[in-house]
Amino acid sequence: VAILSKGQVVEFNCTREIFHRPDHPYTRALIAAIPRLPRELSARSMENASAEPVCWQANGPEFPTLTAS
């Protein structure tokens, strides 16, 4: 995931790292602005989630590779 602010990449990392350990203040502000579901609705939606998360790793400036995480 690339986080852009004013047309510049301010952070680039796999999805898990962006959401669990954001480095840039703009990234933290974006995550803080995500609407949250009530806990009971969130748990119900996770029961149907079966896909494994994936993590994009940089493989040069133009060609990312997809890796299971």
Side-chain angles (χ1 to χ4, degrees):
V1 173
I3 306 298
L4 285 85
S5 175
K6 300 177 184 175
Q8 300 294 315
V9 175
V10 295
E11 187 164 356
F12 179 81
N13 214 329
C14 70
T15 305
R16 178 176 290 142
E17 292 298 313
I18 291 290
F19 280 95
H20 293 288
R21 286 185 282 280
D23 287 331
H24 196 274
Y26 183 70
T27 306
R28 290 191 292 270
L30 287 174
I31 292 170
I34 296 171
R36 307 288 182 204
L37 286 174
R39 189 175 202 82
E40 63 276 3
L41 291 177
S42 180
R44 243 184 285 148
S45 67
M46 290 305 293
E47 290 172 3
N48 297 328
S50 61
E52 286 292 318
V54 293
C55 184
W56 287 92
Q57 298 292 330
N59 185 21
E62 298 176 10
F63 305 101
T65 56
L66 181 64
T67 60
S69 51

